[in-house]
Amino acid sequence: MAKDKYCLVLSGGGVKGVYHIGVWTALRELGVEIEAVVGNSVGAVIAAFIAQGAYGALEDIGSRIGLDYVLNIPKELIEKGELRIDPSKWDAFRKFYGTFSLKKGLDTSPLRRLLETHIDEEKIRLRGLDFGVATYNISDMEPREVFLEEMETGELISYLMASSAFPGFESPKITGKKYIDGGVFDNIPFSMARSRGYNNIIIVDISGAGINRKPNIIGTRTVYIKNSINMGGILDFDGKFMADYTLLGYLDTLKVFGKLRGMNYFIEPDEAMEKSFAEFLETDRVKTALFNRLPAGRAGKSEPGSMANAVRRILPKKRRHDPCRLALFADCAAMILAVDRVKQWSYPDLFDTLVSRESDVRTEAGQIERGGRKAFVSQIRKELKKQRLLRTPYIYHLMGDHFLPDRLKANLERYIIAHHPELMSGIFFLEILEAFRAHLKQKANNIKKV
């Protein structure tokens, strides 16, 4: 049976386009076959690299790109790839502003040079992967969705510049017409894929600025990949952000295709360990811990299937019926301890981190306690008034039981549960984690003896 092929649709979003690189890396690793690629703005640029098969160049550029790769800005105004302006740099800023006024927009000649260095129009045409870009013709005030065979010979890079001409950038001309970023009409060019007759489609939405029209997926097999964490801006060239956002694209894609588990985290499946956890939940010790954790009346011990009900009720509502309990409980514990999310975790590594992080948070709670009850209570009142807690949820759990007046404690608990529904299940998992690890160890020893 022939393997399904897909049309890849890449949205715009400035420097957040590095997410597309992570997605593309994962798709190649998964062996997903692409027969067409269309894009808008930075999505069009990434699409051109994919259409050419220039994966190495794409990954290299993504790992080191800065603002000066895209815009012509005096070196004095660039620090670590980002724009920095202060009174000591006034002369350089005046020069920069003069160029902006002359060109009626920011000078994007560095981006054109970058594309001219790495994009080979002839190779793309010969390779034969269906390729298109979205842009907007401001001379005629109409959107333009153009595929490779419609592009005038030698103008492919001009079309990439046109698609990427974010409002405020200079507007490139093609055959006398001025163009800007296609995101002013539709940032996710799904309609291009449909107009070409593609039914198997992968959309990659990076939460870019512009108009994001809801795709009409009726009659299609559409895979929708979107950044699961909101982070950074379209011109945020911070190196750590870009590395994290690239990795996020990779991890989100693996999760969409069922290779990773978790609600907020990215956890490698381990069916044997997950089965052991399901068995562990049925032990008397865990049942006692769970029923003690639940408020009175949430799950009666005499109900048929009361343990299953209790487990469901302690989990966040949206995921109560997910069968992989271990991933969910571990995920919840990681959230209340603010463990790093942009990482691929194995269960053993995540468990070690949970233990270490809980110890750190307990140390932090001790420092707060030494600072005095009055100061902490005052801080909690301010945070609740602003509806913004400044610490990890687990801190408030540790401090609340013995450090807050009953009324303030009740208000804090209501707020935390409303904004962090994973709190109860996370606390429960931390309480039983060491017992579960001992259970695994004992089980492994029994297997060795046999």
Side-chain angles (χ1 to χ4, degrees):
M1 184 175 174
K3 197 172 187 180
D4 289 333
K5 295 182 179 180
Y6 288 85
C7 174
L8 184 61
V9 176
L10 305 179
S11 72
V15 73
K16 295 204 291 186
V18 294
Y19 183 92
H20 292 317
I21 300 175
V23 171
W24 180 236
T25 301
L27 291 176
R28 288 165 55 211
E29 186 177 296
L30 292 166
V32 176
E33 291 190 34
I34 301 298
E35 60 179 332
V37 57
V38 298
N40 173 65
S41 195
V42 70
V45 171
I46 302 295
F49 279 88
I50 293 173
Q52 184 175 316
Y55 315 132
L58 180 59
E59 291 172 353
D60 179 57
I61 293 168
S63 68
R64 57 189 175 86
I65 193 169
L67 192 60
D68 52 341
Y69 278 61
V70 179
L71 300 173
N72 186 15
I73 297 175
K75 292 181 179 179
E76 299 92 329
L77 300 181
I78 298 290
E79 290 182 14
K80 296 181 180 179
E82 296 185 283
L83 182 64
R84 293 285 185 270
I85 299 174
D86 60 53
S88 68
K89 301 173 181 177
W90 180 244
D91 289 341
F93 177 74
R94 278 176 31 182
K95 178 182 175 183
F96 169 57
Y97 184 75
T99 303
F100 172 82
S101 300
L102 182 65
K103 288 183 172 286
K104 298 181 179 180
L106 296 171
D107 181 0
T108 55
S109 56
L111 176 58
R112 178 176 281 275
R113 287 194 297 271
L114 179 70
L115 295 175
E116 288 173 344
T117 299
H118 295 283
I119 296 298
D120 187 323
E121 179 176 332
E122 185 178 359
K123 282 184 179 179
I124 292 176
R125 291 186 184 275
L126 289 173
R127 194 161 182 261
L129 191 71
D130 201 10
F131 164 68
V133 305
T135 183
Y136 193 86
N137 180 340
I138 56 173
S139 296
D140 299 329
M141 297 302 291
E142 62 181 17
R144 179 100 190 271
E145 297 178 337
V146 54
F147 283 90
L148 185 61
E149 74 274 7
E150 302 170 281
M151 298 179 189
E152 300 83 356
T153 301
E155 294 287 7
L156 186 149
I157 289 176
S158 294
Y159 278 103
L160 296 180
M161 295 297 296
S163 184
S164 306
F166 191 77
F169 290 6
E170 62 178 311
S171 303
K173 284 185 178 181
I174 304 173
T175 61
K177 305 288 187 179
K178 276 190 172 184
Y179 289 86
I180 60 172
D181 192 309
V184 300
F185 176 74
D186 190 357
N187 194 43
I188 305 173
F190 178 82
S191 62
M192 288 187 70
R194 295 295 291 125
S195 71
R196 204 71 159 175
Y198 294 112
N199 291 320
N200 294 337
I201 301 168
I202 297 173
I203 296 174
V204 187
D205 177 359
I206 57 175
S207 301
I211 296 175
N212 294 295
R213 299 181 186 275
K214 184 178 180 180
N216 180 9
I217 65 172
I218 296 173
T220 72
R221 180 190 296 172
T222 298
V223 178
Y224 202 105
I225 301 171
K226 181 176 173 60
N227 55 294
S228 59
I229 305 174
N230 290 322
M231 50 194 288
I234 60 173
L235 291 176
D236 186 350
F237 283 88
D238 175 76
K240 185 179 186 311
F241 158 68
M242 291 194 296
D244 284 348
Y245 215 61
T246 304
L247 179 56
L248 182 63
Y250 174 81
L251 296 172
D252 279 339
T253 304
L254 291 183
K255 184 182 283 188
V256 166
F257 280 86
K259 300 299 180 182
L260 295 174
R261 303 201 194 284
M263 181 169 56
N264 300 291
Y265 287 79
F266 304 95
I267 306 170
E268 298 167 0
D270 185 328
E271 292 186 5
M273 190 178 292
E274 289 157 4
K275 183 179 178 181
S276 292
F277 185 71
E279 296 167 353
F280 178 69
L281 284 177
E282 294 296 327
T283 61
D284 291 339
R285 176 178 179 178
V286 175
K287 286 181 180 180
T288 300
L290 179 55
F291 284 114
N292 288 340
R293 172 52 52 192
L294 283 169
R298 290 291 292 273
K301 297 182 183 182
S302 61
E303 295 177 17
S306 59
M307 185 59 183
N309 286 332
V311 169
R312 279 195 293 271
R313 292 175 184 181
I314 202 172
L315 287 165
K317 287 183 180 180
K318 291 183 179 180
R319 298 299 287 271
R320 282 180 177 174
H321 298 283
D322 192 317
C324 188
R325 299 305 194 202
L326 179 57
L328 284 177
F329 275 109
D331 191 296
C332 291
M335 278 296 287
I336 67 170
L337 290 172
V339 171
D340 182 14
R341 288 177 64 187
V342 189
K343 183 175 178 179
Q344 183 169 332
W345 292 97
S346 67
Y347 283 119
D349 285 346
L350 183 54
F351 296 164
D352 286 344
T353 300
L354 291 175
V355 171
S356 175
R357 180 67 181 136
E358 183 185 16
S359 175
D360 291 342
V361 172
R362 286 186 178 278
T363 299
E364 184 181 349
Q367 292 171 346
I368 294 171
E369 188 169 355
R370 287 191 291 276
R373 179 177 183 274
K374 185 176 180 180
F376 181 67
V377 169
S378 174
Q379 184 62 40
I380 294 298
R381 293 188 193 280
K382 290 178 183 177
E383 291 179 18
L384 286 176
K385 187 176 181 180
K386 293 180 179 178
Q387 294 198 332
R388 182 169 176 262
L389 299 181
L390 300 178
R391 303 176 188 272
T392 60
Y394 195 62
I395 279 277
Y396 300 100
H397 161 70
L398 292 176
M399 301 300 296
D401 283 343
H402 64 284
F403 221 55
L404 296 177
D406 290 343
R407 185 175 176 181
L408 182 58
K409 177 186 173 184
N411 289 339
L412 179 61
E413 284 180 350
R414 280 195 295 271
Y415 181 87
I416 293 177
I417 290 173
H419 292 82
H420 298 278
E422 67 280 354
L423 179 68
M424 194 181 300
S425 46
I427 293 169
F428 171 68
F429 187 74
L430 293 175
E431 290 174 347
I432 65 171
L433 177 54
E434 287 305 328
F436 176 56
R437 295 174 95 179
H439 173 81
L440 290 175
K441 188 174 181 180
Q442 182 62 48
K443 193 171 182 179
N445 290 337
N446 291 341
I447 292 172
K448 287 179 181 178
K449 289 177 182 177
V450 174

